[in-house]
Structure formats: C-alpha cells, structure tokens
Amino acid sequence: VAGRRLDLAPAAPRSTRAVASAAPLRLALTWSVLRRLAPNVVDVLTPNGRYVRALSGAHGPVIVSAAQRDPGRLTISIAGDPEDHAAALELVRCMLAVDRDVTPFDRAAATLPWLRPLAVRMPGAKPPRYASLWDAFVHVVAFQQLSLRAETPILRRCIASTCPAI
C-alpha cells in the first residue's frame, strides 16, 4: 500500500530465520498467485521484492516478511510477541508453499498442450494457501457470488472498515 508503513513499532521483538525451499521457488510469482489482483491490500510485495503480511497471533498482531536472495532460500522476518514467532514462521512457510515439490506438476503440465505454456512461463510459482480457514471461507463465498474483479474491492472495503490503517 503506497505511502503506508507496514510494520509494528520499532520496539516489537523480532526474529529472522533462513528457510530452505524446495526448488524452484520464485517468491514474486508465488506472491502474484496468492494476491490474485492488484486491489489486494493484505498480501503486499514491496518495491524491493519483500513479501509482507500481517497475521493474527495468539498474543496480538504479527508482521511477517519474506525475502528471496537465491532460488532455494527465503529469509523470513517476524515481528510481534516472541511466543507467536514459531507459529507465524510455520504459517508463512505453509502459505508460500516453501516445502512443496512441484516437480510432479511440472512433469504433468509438460504433457498437456493447454497447460504447458503457463508452466513454462511461470517456473518457480508455488501453490500458495490462505492464512486461515476463515480467509479461505470468506474468499470462497465471495468468489461464488461475484466475479474475481468485483470480489476483490468488496473484500478490500471490508478489511478497511475493520482496520482503519489501510
């Protein structure tokens, strides 16, 4: 979100972990699949390629960010209550599918003429997941009732009404 700071107070306890990934992984492509459309204000990629997301922790909000310096590794930073760091790390690993081996998909896609061009254009895109069952449920209901282009701004307004900082 342009002009907005996506961070907790500087005093928030932080931790940083290097996380190995099943190759290939391209963070920007995986983020693009997770984001779906530009109006998404929840899943953010900064101009320097860092994925940033606020999550609900057991003890309060947690800000996670992930950066990729090489194809097989992410650096994940977590800010918030230290008791929430381990759970947030596992959640972001799952959301970004860092452990998912996409080799079987790539092999299958190579045999399907209609899918092959997409697979060739997007090597390293992982199948991301929603942060929670609630996220998935809200999107599924909205997607069934409306088009994706109509649903995204509606969800943005719902989020903004409950989180004035957006």
Side-chain angles (χ1 to χ4, degrees):
V1 178
R4 300 241 168 89
R5 184 170 167 83
L6 297 171
D7 206 349
L8 293 178
R14 297 175 187 274
S15 63
T16 301
R17 306 260 177 15
V19 175
S21 171
L25 169 65
R26 287 177 52 197
L27 180 61
L29 284 178
T30 302
W31 163 79
S32 184
V33 174
L34 185 62
R35 174 181 86 151
R36 288 170 187 76
L37 291 174
N40 179 333
V41 295
V42 175
D43 299 289
V44 176
L45 194 71
T46 66
N48 64 352
R50 181 174 288 275
Y51 169 72
V52 182
R53 166 86 190 239
L55 300 170
S56 294
H59 303 92
V62 177
I63 302 293
V64 296
S65 67
Q68 184 173 20
R69 302 288 182 250
D70 64 69
R73 184 169 309 282
L74 291 179
T75 301
I76 299 175
S77 299
I78 304 160
D81 190 302
E83 291 187 35
D84 292 329
H85 287 203
L89 177 63
E90 287 310 307
L91 180 56
V92 78
R93 287 174 63 103
C94 182
M95 287 175 61
L96 297 176
V98 298
D99 298 322
R100 176 71 59 148
D101 179 10
V102 294
T103 305
F105 170 81
D106 290 340
R107 272 195 298 261
T111 67
L112 301 170
W114 60 271
L115 186 55
R116 185 180 317 118
L118 179 63
V120 167
R121 263 193 349 258
M122 298 190 64
K126 298 280 189 156
R129 297 192 175 112
Y130 288 112
S132 68
L133 184 57
W134 175 251
D135 278 357
F137 177 74
V138 167
H139 283 86
V140 165
V141 168
F143 289 161
Q144 288 179 353
Q145 302 303 315
L146 308 163
S147 72
L148 183 59
R149 293 204 183 281
E151 177 272 344
T152 304
I154 290 169
L155 286 182
R156 179 184 176 130
R157 287 192 299 274
C158 289
I159 292 165
S161 71
T162 59
C163 185
I166 292 179

mmCIF file of all heavy atoms in Angstrom, residues 96-134:
data_model
loop_
_atom_site.group_PDB
_atom_site.id
_atom_site.type_symbol
_atom_site.label_atom_id
_atom_site.label_comp_id
_atom_site.label_asym_id
_atom_site.label_seq_id
_atom_site.Cartn_x
_atom_site.Cartn_y
_atom_site.Cartn_z
ATOM 1 N N LEU A 96 3.321 -19.857 1.657
ATOM 2 C CA LEU A 96 4.169 -19.687 0.485
ATOM 3 C C LEU A 96 4.613 -21.025 -0.111
ATOM 4 O O LEU A 96 5.366 -21.047 -1.083
ATOM 5 C CB LEU A 96 5.389 -18.827 0.831
ATOM 6 C CG LEU A 96 5.065 -17.401 1.271
ATOM 7 C CD1 LEU A 96 6.326 -16.665 1.676
ATOM 8 C CD2 LEU A 96 4.320 -16.644 0.178
ATOM 9 N N ALA A 97 4.161 -22.129 0.479
ATOM 10 C CA ALA A 97 4.417 -23.482 -0.027
ATOM 11 C C ALA A 97 5.902 -23.764 -0.225
ATOM 12 O O ALA A 97 6.291 -24.417 -1.188
ATOM 13 C CB ALA A 97 3.635 -23.723 -1.316
ATOM 14 N N VAL A 98 6.727 -23.293 0.694
ATOM 15 C CA VAL A 98 8.175 -23.436 0.508
ATOM 16 C C VAL A 98 8.624 -24.892 0.489
ATOM 17 O O VAL A 98 9.634 -25.216 -0.135
ATOM 18 C CB VAL A 98 8.993 -22.635 1.550
ATOM 19 C CG1 VAL A 98 8.730 -21.154 1.427
ATOM 20 C CG2 VAL A 98 8.740 -23.112 2.955
ATOM 21 N N ASP A 99 7.901 -25.777 1.152
ATOM 22 C CA ASP A 99 8.298 -27.184 1.187
ATOM 23 C C ASP A 99 7.657 -28.010 0.078
ATOM 24 O O ASP A 99 7.928 -29.202 -0.048
ATOM 25 C CB ASP A 99 7.935 -27.794 2.545
ATOM 26 C CG ASP A 99 8.672 -27.098 3.678
ATOM 27 O OD1 ASP A 99 9.843 -26.740 3.490
ATOM 28 O OD2 ASP A 99 8.071 -26.915 4.755
ATOM 29 N N ARG A 100 6.816 -27.396 -0.721
ATOM 30 C CA ARG A 100 6.079 -28.121 -1.759
ATOM 31 C C ARG A 100 6.976 -28.397 -2.958
ATOM 32 O O ARG A 100 7.545 -27.480 -3.550
ATOM 33 C CB ARG A 100 4.871 -27.290 -2.194
ATOM 34 C CG ARG A 100 4.056 -27.842 -3.307
ATOM 35 C CD ARG A 100 3.250 -29.038 -2.927
ATOM 36 N NE ARG A 100 2.358 -28.681 -1.831
ATOM 37 C CZ ARG A 100 1.184 -29.209 -1.646
ATOM 38 N NH1 ARG A 100 0.766 -30.132 -2.451
ATOM 39 N NH2 ARG A 100 0.444 -28.841 -0.636
ATOM 40 N N ASP A 101 7.107 -29.655 -3.320
ATOM 41 C CA ASP A 101 7.847 -30.063 -4.512
ATOM 42 C C ASP A 101 6.876 -30.031 -5.695
ATOM 43 O O ASP A 101 5.900 -30.785 -5.721
ATOM 44 C CB ASP A 101 8.421 -31.467 -4.321
ATOM 45 C CG ASP A 101 9.179 -31.963 -5.541
ATOM 46 O OD1 ASP A 101 9.435 -31.169 -6.471
ATOM 47 O OD2 ASP A 101 9.517 -33.162 -5.560
ATOM 48 N N VAL A 102 7.124 -29.153 -6.639
ATOM 49 C CA VAL A 102 6.214 -29.014 -7.781
ATOM 50 C C VAL A 102 6.669 -29.821 -8.997
ATOM 51 O O VAL A 102 6.075 -29.709 -10.069
ATOM 52 C CB VAL A 102 6.003 -27.524 -8.159
ATOM 53 C CG1 VAL A 102 5.283 -26.786 -7.043
ATOM 54 C CG2 VAL A 102 7.308 -26.857 -8.512
ATOM 55 N N THR A 103 7.699 -30.650 -8.826
ATOM 56 C CA THR A 103 8.201 -31.460 -9.936
ATOM 57 C C THR A 103 7.114 -32.339 -10.559
ATOM 58 O O THR A 103 6.997 -32.382 -11.787
ATOM 59 C CB THR A 103 9.400 -32.308 -9.484
ATOM 60 O OG1 THR A 103 10.387 -31.443 -8.922
ATOM 61 C CG2 THR A 103 10.009 -33.082 -10.633
ATOM 62 N N PRO A 104 6.280 -33.036 -9.746
ATOM 63 C CA PRO A 104 5.224 -33.845 -10.380
ATOM 64 C C PRO A 104 4.253 -32.997 -11.219
ATOM 65 O O PRO A 104 3.832 -33.416 -12.292
ATOM 66 C CB PRO A 104 4.509 -34.491 -9.184
ATOM 67 C CG PRO A 104 5.537 -34.521 -8.102
ATOM 68 C CD PRO A 104 6.340 -33.270 -8.309
ATOM 69 N N PHE A 105 3.923 -31.807 -10.737
ATOM 70 C CA PHE A 105 3.054 -30.924 -11.519
ATOM 71 C C PHE A 105 3.734 -30.521 -12.822
ATOM 72 O O PHE A 105 3.115 -30.536 -13.887
ATOM 73 C CB PHE A 105 2.682 -29.675 -10.720
ATOM 74 C CG PHE A 105 1.987 -28.645 -11.566
ATOM 75 C CD1 PHE A 105 0.638 -28.755 -11.842
ATOM 76 C CD2 PHE A 105 2.693 -27.584 -12.114
ATOM 77 C CE1 PHE A 105 -0.011 -27.824 -12.646
ATOM 78 C CE2 PHE A 105 2.061 -26.645 -12.917
ATOM 79 C CZ PHE A 105 0.711 -26.769 -13.183
ATOM 80 N N ASP A 106 5.006 -30.130 -12.735
ATOM 81 C CA ASP A 106 5.730 -29.711 -13.938
ATOM 82 C C ASP A 106 5.768 -30.828 -14.973
ATOM 83 O O ASP A 106 5.595 -30.578 -16.176
ATOM 84 C CB ASP A 106 7.147 -29.260 -13.582
ATOM 85 C CG ASP A 106 7.169 -27.952 -12.817
ATOM 86 O OD1 ASP A 106 6.178 -27.205 -12.870
ATOM 87 O OD2 ASP A 106 8.190 -27.679 -12.146
ATOM 88 N N ARG A 107 5.995 -32.069 -14.524
ATOM 89 C CA ARG A 107 6.008 -33.210 -15.453
ATOM 90 C C ARG A 107 4.632 -33.393 -16.102
ATOM 91 O O ARG A 107 4.527 -33.600 -17.309
ATOM 92 C CB ARG A 107 6.414 -34.489 -14.717
ATOM 93 C CG ARG A 107 7.906 -34.712 -14.680
ATOM 94 C CD ARG A 107 8.225 -36.139 -14.279
ATOM 95 N NE ARG A 107 7.732 -36.447 -12.945
ATOM 96 C CZ ARG A 107 8.459 -36.438 -11.843
ATOM 97 N NH1 ARG A 107 9.731 -36.140 -11.903
ATOM 98 N NH2 ARG A 107 7.929 -36.726 -10.684
ATOM 99 N N ALA A 108 3.581 -33.316 -15.295
ATOM 100 C CA ALA A 108 2.225 -33.481 -15.833
ATOM 101 C C ALA A 108 1.876 -32.336 -16.782
ATOM 102 O O ALA A 108 1.282 -32.554 -17.848
ATOM 103 C CB ALA A 108 1.213 -33.562 -14.697
ATOM 104 N N ALA A 109 2.235 -31.105 -16.406
ATOM 105 C CA ALA A 109 1.923 -29.942 -17.238
ATOM 106 C C ALA A 109 2.609 -30.027 -18.593
ATOM 107 O O ALA A 109 2.054 -29.580 -19.605
ATOM 108 C CB ALA A 109 2.331 -28.658 -16.515
ATOM 109 N N ALA A 110 3.795 -30.611 -18.632
ATOM 110 C CA ALA A 110 4.534 -30.741 -19.890
ATOM 111 C C ALA A 110 3.792 -31.624 -20.894
ATOM 112 O O ALA A 110 4.008 -31.505 -22.106
ATOM 113 C CB ALA A 110 5.927 -31.284 -19.632
ATOM 114 N N THR A 111 2.887 -32.476 -20.415
ATOM 115 C CA THR A 111 2.154 -33.383 -21.315
ATOM 116 C C THR A 111 0.809 -32.809 -21.751
ATOM 117 O O THR A 111 0.136 -33.422 -22.574
ATOM 118 C CB THR A 111 1.906 -34.743 -20.628
ATOM 119 O OG1 THR A 111 0.999 -34.563 -19.537
ATOM 120 C CG2 THR A 111 3.206 -35.366 -20.147
ATOM 121 N N LEU A 112 0.418 -31.664 -21.209
ATOM 122 C CA LEU A 112 -0.884 -31.074 -21.524
ATOM 123 C C LEU A 112 -0.692 -29.820 -22.370
ATOM 124 O O LEU A 112 -0.236 -28.789 -21.867
ATOM 125 C CB LEU A 112 -1.638 -30.735 -20.245
ATOM 126 C CG LEU A 112 -1.914 -31.919 -19.312
ATOM 127 C CD1 LEU A 112 -2.444 -31.444 -17.980
ATOM 128 C CD2 LEU A 112 -2.884 -32.891 -19.969
ATOM 129 N N PRO A 113 -1.045 -29.874 -23.641
ATOM 130 C CA PRO A 113 -0.806 -28.729 -24.526
ATOM 131 C C PRO A 113 -1.403 -27.419 -24.036
ATOM 132 O O PRO A 113 -0.828 -26.361 -24.234
ATOM 133 C CB PRO A 113 -1.445 -29.158 -25.856
ATOM 134 C CG PRO A 113 -1.479 -30.647 -25.808
ATOM 135 C CD PRO A 113 -1.648 -31.008 -24.359
ATOM 136 N N TRP A 114 -2.553 -27.432 -23.391
ATOM 137 C CA TRP A 114 -3.196 -26.203 -22.923
ATOM 138 C C TRP A 114 -2.547 -25.645 -21.658
ATOM 139 O O TRP A 114 -2.670 -24.465 -21.360
ATOM 140 C CB TRP A 114 -4.685 -26.424 -22.694
ATOM 141 C CG TRP A 114 -4.977 -27.495 -21.671
ATOM 142 C CD1 TRP A 114 -5.133 -28.828 -21.907
ATOM 143 C CD2 TRP A 114 -5.129 -27.317 -20.266
ATOM 144 N NE1 TRP A 114 -5.367 -29.503 -20.738
ATOM 145 C CE2 TRP A 114 -5.377 -28.596 -19.700
ATOM 146 C CE3 TRP A 114 -5.082 -26.216 -19.414
ATOM 147 C CZ2 TRP A 114 -5.564 -28.786 -18.346
ATOM 148 C CZ3 TRP A 114 -5.277 -26.414 -18.059
ATOM 149 C CH2 TRP A 114 -5.518 -27.681 -17.543
ATOM 150 N N LEU A 115 -1.823 -26.478 -20.886
ATOM 151 C CA LEU A 115 -1.200 -26.036 -19.643
ATOM 152 C C LEU A 115 0.294 -25.775 -19.794
ATOM 153 O O LEU A 115 0.863 -24.979 -19.059
ATOM 154 C CB LEU A 115 -1.443 -27.084 -18.546
ATOM 155 C CG LEU A 115 -1.005 -26.752 -17.137
ATOM 156 C CD1 LEU A 115 -1.621 -25.427 -16.660
ATOM 157 C CD2 LEU A 115 -1.386 -27.880 -16.190
ATOM 158 N N ARG A 116 0.930 -26.436 -20.740
ATOM 159 C CA ARG A 116 2.372 -26.313 -20.920
ATOM 160 C C ARG A 116 2.848 -24.862 -21.030
ATOM 161 O O ARG A 116 3.801 -24.474 -20.350
ATOM 162 C CB ARG A 116 2.828 -27.118 -22.134
ATOM 163 C CG ARG A 116 4.344 -27.128 -22.311
ATOM 164 C CD ARG A 116 4.817 -27.925 -23.536
ATOM 165 N NE ARG A 116 4.113 -29.178 -23.671
ATOM 166 C CZ ARG A 116 3.336 -29.487 -24.728
ATOM 167 N NH1 ARG A 116 3.181 -28.639 -25.721
ATOM 168 N NH2 ARG A 116 2.726 -30.652 -24.779
ATOM 169 N N PRO A 117 2.208 -23.995 -21.849
ATOM 170 C CA PRO A 117 2.706 -22.611 -21.965
ATOM 171 C C PRO A 117 2.704 -21.854 -20.622
ATOM 172 O O PRO A 117 3.623 -21.094 -20.337
ATOM 173 C CB PRO A 117 1.739 -21.959 -22.955
ATOM 174 C CG PRO A 117 1.177 -23.100 -23.743
ATOM 175 C CD PRO A 117 1.106 -24.252 -22.782
ATOM 176 N N LEU A 118 1.690 -22.068 -19.804
ATOM 177 C CA LEU A 118 1.648 -21.407 -18.498
ATOM 178 C C LEU A 118 2.765 -21.920 -17.585
ATOM 179 O O LEU A 118 3.453 -21.133 -16.936
ATOM 180 C CB LEU A 118 0.290 -21.623 -17.828
ATOM 181 C CG LEU A 118 0.126 -20.999 -16.452
ATOM 182 C CD1 LEU A 118 0.245 -19.478 -16.520
ATOM 183 C CD2 LEU A 118 -1.207 -21.403 -15.851
ATOM 184 N N ALA A 119 2.960 -23.217 -17.549
ATOM 185 C CA ALA A 119 4.002 -23.803 -16.712
ATOM 186 C C ALA A 119 5.390 -23.330 -17.145
ATOM 187 O O ALA A 119 6.254 -23.065 -16.300
ATOM 188 C CB ALA A 119 3.919 -25.323 -16.743
ATOM 189 N N VAL A 120 5.593 -23.189 -18.443
ATOM 190 C CA VAL A 120 6.882 -22.715 -18.954
ATOM 191 C C VAL A 120 7.109 -21.251 -18.576
ATOM 192 O O VAL A 120 8.217 -20.847 -18.232
ATOM 193 C CB VAL A 120 6.960 -22.918 -20.490
ATOM 194 C CG1 VAL A 120 8.133 -22.164 -21.099
ATOM 195 C CG2 VAL A 120 7.041 -24.403 -20.818
ATOM 196 N N ARG A 121 6.039 -20.433 -18.622
ATOM 197 C CA ARG A 121 6.143 -19.002 -18.283
ATOM 198 C C ARG A 121 6.341 -18.752 -16.808
ATOM 199 O O ARG A 121 6.861 -17.709 -16.423
ATOM 200 C CB ARG A 121 4.863 -18.270 -18.714
ATOM 201 C CG ARG A 121 4.955 -17.592 -20.024
ATOM 202 C CD ARG A 121 3.824 -16.611 -20.313
ATOM 203 N NE ARG A 121 2.683 -16.583 -19.456
ATOM 204 C CZ ARG A 121 1.493 -17.134 -19.734
ATOM 205 N NH1 ARG A 121 1.317 -17.786 -20.853
ATOM 206 N NH2 ARG A 121 0.502 -17.025 -18.903
ATOM 207 N N MET A 122 5.903 -19.681 -15.946
ATOM 208 C CA MET A 122 5.906 -19.411 -14.509
ATOM 209 C C MET A 122 6.672 -20.452 -13.697
ATOM 210 O O MET A 122 6.199 -20.921 -12.668
ATOM 211 C CB MET A 122 4.471 -19.306 -14.015
ATOM 212 C CG MET A 122 3.737 -18.166 -14.681
ATOM 213 S SD MET A 122 2.152 -17.800 -13.964
ATOM 214 C CE MET A 122 2.567 -17.267 -12.342
ATOM 215 N N PRO A 123 7.898 -20.804 -14.091
ATOM 216 C CA PRO A 123 8.633 -21.775 -13.279
ATOM 217 C C PRO A 123 8.956 -21.179 -11.912
ATOM 218 O O PRO A 123 9.329 -20.013 -11.806
ATOM 219 C CB PRO A 123 9.905 -22.026 -14.088
ATOM 220 C CG PRO A 123 10.110 -20.758 -14.846
ATOM 221 C CD PRO A 123 8.718 -20.273 -15.177
ATOM 222 N N GLY A 124 8.754 -21.955 -10.883
ATOM 223 C CA GLY A 124 9.045 -21.478 -9.532
ATOM 224 C C GLY A 124 7.848 -20.916 -8.805
ATOM 225 O O GLY A 124 7.948 -20.576 -7.632
ATOM 226 N N ALA A 125 6.701 -20.793 -9.489
ATOM 227 C CA ALA A 125 5.481 -20.370 -8.788
ATOM 228 C C ALA A 125 4.996 -21.561 -7.974
ATOM 229 O O ALA A 125 4.839 -22.654 -8.502
ATOM 230 C CB ALA A 125 4.412 -19.920 -9.767
ATOM 231 N N LYS A 126 4.780 -21.356 -6.702
ATOM 232 C CA LYS A 126 4.306 -22.419 -5.816
ATOM 233 C C LYS A 126 2.800 -22.256 -5.605
ATOM 234 O O LYS A 126 2.259 -21.170 -5.773
ATOM 235 C CB LYS A 126 5.011 -22.337 -4.461
ATOM 236 C CG LYS A 126 6.513 -22.524 -4.522
ATOM 237 C CD LYS A 126 6.861 -23.975 -4.609
ATOM 238 C CE LYS A 126 8.357 -24.151 -4.436
ATOM 239 N NZ LYS A 126 8.686 -25.470 -3.970
ATOM 240 N N PRO A 127 2.105 -23.320 -5.212
ATOM 241 C CA PRO A 127 0.670 -23.211 -4.940
ATOM 242 C C PRO A 127 0.442 -22.666 -3.525
ATOM 243 O O PRO A 127 0.471 -23.405 -2.553
ATOM 244 C CB PRO A 127 0.178 -24.653 -5.075
ATOM 245 C CG PRO A 127 1.379 -25.478 -4.702
ATOM 246 C CD PRO A 127 2.576 -24.695 -5.151
ATOM 247 N N PRO A 128 0.233 -21.355 -3.384
ATOM 248 C CA PRO A 128 0.095 -20.773 -2.048
ATOM 249 C C PRO A 128 -1.231 -21.146 -1.395
ATOM 250 O O PRO A 128 -2.144 -21.642 -2.049
ATOM 251 C CB PRO A 128 0.167 -19.270 -2.314
ATOM 252 C CG PRO A 128 -0.372 -19.121 -3.689
ATOM 253 C CD PRO A 128 0.061 -20.358 -4.436
ATOM 254 N N ARG A 129 -1.305 -20.880 -0.100
ATOM 255 C CA ARG A 129 -2.519 -21.179 0.665
ATOM 256 C C ARG A 129 -2.939 -19.937 1.431
ATOM 257 O O ARG A 129 -2.137 -19.084 1.759
ATOM 258 C CB ARG A 129 -2.232 -22.308 1.642
ATOM 259 C CG ARG A 129 -1.878 -23.581 0.929
ATOM 260 C CD ARG A 129 -1.891 -24.745 1.875
ATOM 261 N NE ARG A 129 -1.673 -25.957 1.134
ATOM 262 C CZ ARG A 129 -0.587 -26.697 1.231
ATOM 263 N NH1 ARG A 129 0.372 -26.351 2.037
ATOM 264 N NH2 ARG A 129 -0.474 -27.786 0.521
ATOM 265 N N TYR A 130 -4.218 -19.894 1.757
ATOM 266 C CA TYR A 130 -4.718 -18.816 2.603
ATOM 267 C C TYR A 130 -4.150 -18.967 4.008
ATOM 268 O O TYR A 130 -3.791 -20.069 4.432
ATOM 269 C CB TYR A 130 -6.243 -18.834 2.659
ATOM 270 C CG TYR A 130 -6.895 -18.394 1.380
ATOM 271 C CD1 TYR A 130 -7.605 -19.294 0.594
ATOM 272 C CD2 TYR A 130 -6.814 -17.074 0.953
ATOM 273 C CE1 TYR A 130 -8.215 -18.894 -0.586
ATOM 274 C CE2 TYR A 130 -7.414 -16.670 -0.215
ATOM 275 C CZ TYR A 130 -8.107 -17.573 -0.984
ATOM 276 O OH TYR A 130 -8.701 -17.171 -2.141
ATOM 277 N N ALA A 131 -4.129 -17.870 4.753
ATOM 278 C CA ALA A 131 -3.564 -17.868 6.100
ATOM 279 C C ALA A 131 -4.424 -18.629 7.096
ATOM 280 O O ALA A 131 -3.917 -19.120 8.104
ATOM 281 C CB ALA A 131 -3.355 -16.434 6.580
ATOM 282 N N SER A 132 -5.708 -18.709 6.831
ATOM 283 C CA SER A 132 -6.591 -19.381 7.791
ATOM 284 C C SER A 132 -7.806 -19.938 7.067
ATOM 285 O O SER A 132 -8.103 -19.568 5.927
ATOM 286 C CB SER A 132 -7.054 -18.400 8.869
ATOM 287 O OG SER A 132 -7.928 -17.426 8.311
ATOM 288 N N LEU A 133 -8.519 -20.788 7.762
ATOM 289 C CA LEU A 133 -9.760 -21.320 7.225
ATOM 290 C C LEU A 133 -10.760 -20.179 7.015
ATOM 291 O O LEU A 133 -11.512 -20.168 6.044
ATOM 292 C CB LEU A 133 -10.333 -22.373 8.171
ATOM 293 C CG LEU A 133 -11.591 -23.088 7.706
ATOM 294 C CD1 LEU A 133 -11.384 -23.770 6.366
ATOM 295 C CD2 LEU A 133 -12.029 -24.107 8.752
ATOM 296 N N TRP A 134 -10.747 -19.196 7.917
ATOM 297 C CA TRP A 134 -11.644 -18.041 7.775
ATOM 298 C C TRP A 134 -11.349 -17.286 6.476
ATOM 299 O O TRP A 134 -12.260 -16.940 5.728
ATOM 300 C CB TRP A 134 -11.516 -17.128 8.986
ATOM 301 C CG TRP A 134 -12.331 -15.880 8.837
ATOM 302 C CD1 TRP A 134 -11.876 -14.618 8.634
ATOM 303 C CD2 TRP A 134 -13.765 -15.788 8.832
ATOM 304 N NE1 TRP A 134 -12.927 -13.738 8.514
ATOM 305 C CE2 TRP A 134 -14.099 -14.432 8.631
ATOM 306 C CE3 TRP A 134 -14.784 -16.708 8.980
ATOM 307 C CZ2 TRP A 134 -15.404 -13.987 8.575
ATOM 308 C CZ3 TRP A 134 -16.098 -16.260 8.916
ATOM 309 C CH2 TRP A 134 -16.384 -14.913 8.721
#
